[in-house]
Short mmCIF file of all heavy atoms in Angstrom, two decimals:
data_model
loop_
_atom_site.label_atom_id
_atom_site.label_comp_id
_atom_site.label_asym_id
_atom_site.label_seq_id
_atom_site.Cartn_x
_atom_site.Cartn_y
_atom_site.Cartn_z
N VAL J 35 -50.78 22.89 -11.47
CA VAL J 35 -51.80 21.85 -11.34
C VAL J 35 -52.99 22.37 -10.53
O VAL J 35 -54.15 22.12 -10.86
CB VAL J 35 -51.21 20.58 -10.67
CG1 VAL J 35 -52.30 19.61 -10.28
CG2 VAL J 35 -50.21 19.90 -11.61
N GLN J 36 -52.70 23.10 -9.48
CA GLN J 36 -53.78 23.67 -8.65
C GLN J 36 -54.64 24.64 -9.45
O GLN J 36 -55.87 24.67 -9.31
CB GLN J 36 -53.18 24.35 -7.42
CG GLN J 36 -52.56 23.38 -6.43
CD GLN J 36 -51.72 24.05 -5.38
OE1 GLN J 36 -51.61 25.29 -5.35
NE2 GLN J 36 -51.09 23.26 -4.51
N ARG J 37 -53.98 25.46 -10.31
CA ARG J 37 -54.76 26.40 -11.13
C ARG J 37 -55.59 25.66 -12.17
O ARG J 37 -56.71 26.05 -12.48
CB ARG J 37 -53.81 27.39 -11.81
CG ARG J 37 -53.20 28.42 -10.85
CD ARG J 37 -52.62 29.61 -11.60
NE ARG J 37 -51.49 29.24 -12.44
CZ ARG J 37 -50.23 29.18 -12.02
NH1 ARG J 37 -49.94 29.45 -10.74
NH2 ARG J 37 -49.26 28.86 -12.85
N MET J 38 -55.05 24.56 -12.70
CA MET J 38 -55.82 23.75 -13.66
C MET J 38 -57.04 23.14 -12.99
O MET J 38 -58.13 23.10 -13.57
CB MET J 38 -54.93 22.65 -14.25
CG MET J 38 -53.82 23.15 -15.15
SD MET J 38 -54.44 23.83 -16.70
CE MET J 38 -55.02 22.35 -17.52
N GLU J 39 -56.87 22.66 -11.75
CA GLU J 39 -58.01 22.09 -11.02
C GLU J 39 -59.06 23.15 -10.75
O GLU J 39 -60.27 22.90 -10.87
CB GLU J 39 -57.52 21.45 -9.71
CG GLU J 39 -58.63 20.74 -8.95
CD GLU J 39 -58.11 19.94 -7.78
OE1 GLU J 39 -56.94 20.14 -7.38
OE2 GLU J 39 -58.89 19.11 -7.24
N THR J 40 -58.62 24.36 -10.40
CA THR J 40 -59.56 25.47 -10.17
C THR J 40 -60.29 25.82 -11.46
O THR J 40 -61.50 26.10 -11.46
CB THR J 40 -58.80 26.70 -9.64
OG1 THR J 40 -58.14 26.36 -8.43
CG2 THR J 40 -59.76 27.86 -9.40
N LEU J 41 -59.55 25.78 -12.58
CA LEU J 41 -60.16 26.06 -13.88
C LEU J 41 -61.30 25.08 -14.17
O LEU J 41 -62.37 25.47 -14.64
CB LEU J 41 -59.08 25.96 -14.96
CG LEU J 41 -59.46 26.41 -16.38
CD1 LEU J 41 -59.70 27.92 -16.41
CD2 LEU J 41 -58.36 26.03 -17.36
N LEU J 42 -61.08 23.80 -13.85
CA LEU J 42 -62.11 22.79 -14.06
C LEU J 42 -63.26 22.99 -13.08
O LEU J 42 -64.44 22.92 -13.48
CB LEU J 42 -61.51 21.39 -13.88
CG LEU J 42 -62.49 20.21 -13.93
CD1 LEU J 42 -63.15 20.10 -15.29
CD2 LEU J 42 -61.78 18.90 -13.57
N THR J 43 -62.94 23.23 -11.82
CA THR J 43 -63.97 23.36 -10.79
C THR J 43 -64.88 24.57 -11.05
O THR J 43 -66.11 24.48 -10.96
CB THR J 43 -63.32 23.48 -9.40
OG1 THR J 43 -62.47 22.35 -9.18
CG2 THR J 43 -64.37 23.54 -8.31
N MET J 44 -64.28 25.70 -11.38
CA MET J 44 -65.05 26.94 -11.58
C MET J 44 -65.66 27.03 -12.97
O MET J 44 -66.63 27.76 -13.18
CB MET J 44 -64.15 28.15 -11.33
CG MET J 44 -63.50 28.19 -9.94
SD MET J 44 -64.71 28.15 -8.60
CE MET J 44 -65.51 29.74 -8.86
N GLY J 45 -65.07 26.31 -13.93
CA GLY J 45 -65.60 26.36 -15.29
C GLY J 45 -65.23 27.64 -16.02
O GLY J 45 -65.84 27.95 -17.06
N ASN J 46 -64.25 28.37 -15.53
CA ASN J 46 -63.86 29.63 -16.17
C ASN J 46 -63.32 29.37 -17.58
O ASN J 46 -62.48 28.51 -17.79
CB ASN J 46 -62.77 30.34 -15.35
CG ASN J 46 -63.29 30.74 -13.98
OD1 ASN J 46 -64.49 30.90 -13.78
ND2 ASN J 46 -62.37 30.92 -13.02
N GLY J 47 -63.81 30.12 -18.55
CA GLY J 47 -63.33 30.00 -19.93
C GLY J 47 -63.77 28.72 -20.61
O GLY J 47 -63.22 28.36 -21.66
N SER J 48 -64.75 28.05 -20.05
CA SER J 48 -65.21 26.79 -20.64
C SER J 48 -65.79 27.02 -22.03
O SER J 48 -66.54 27.97 -22.26
CB SER J 48 -66.27 26.15 -19.74
OG SER J 48 -66.91 25.07 -20.40
N ASP J 49 -65.42 26.15 -22.97
CA ASP J 49 -65.98 26.26 -24.33
C ASP J 49 -66.70 24.97 -24.76
O ASP J 49 -67.09 24.84 -25.91
CB ASP J 49 -64.87 26.60 -25.32
CG ASP J 49 -63.78 25.52 -25.38
OD1 ASP J 49 -63.77 24.65 -24.49
OD2 ASP J 49 -62.94 25.56 -26.30
N VAL J 50 -66.83 24.02 -23.83
CA VAL J 50 -67.57 22.81 -24.15
C VAL J 50 -68.24 22.29 -22.88
O VAL J 50 -67.66 22.33 -21.79
CB VAL J 50 -66.64 21.73 -24.76
CG1 VAL J 50 -65.53 21.36 -23.80
CG2 VAL J 50 -67.43 20.48 -25.14
#
Side-chain angles (χ1 to χ4, degrees):
V35 169
Q36 291 167 2
R37 288 197 295 273
M38 291 291 290
E39 185 171 14
T40 301
L41 189 67
L42 174 64
T43 304
M44 302 303 294
N46 296 336
S48 169
D49 61 348
V50 59

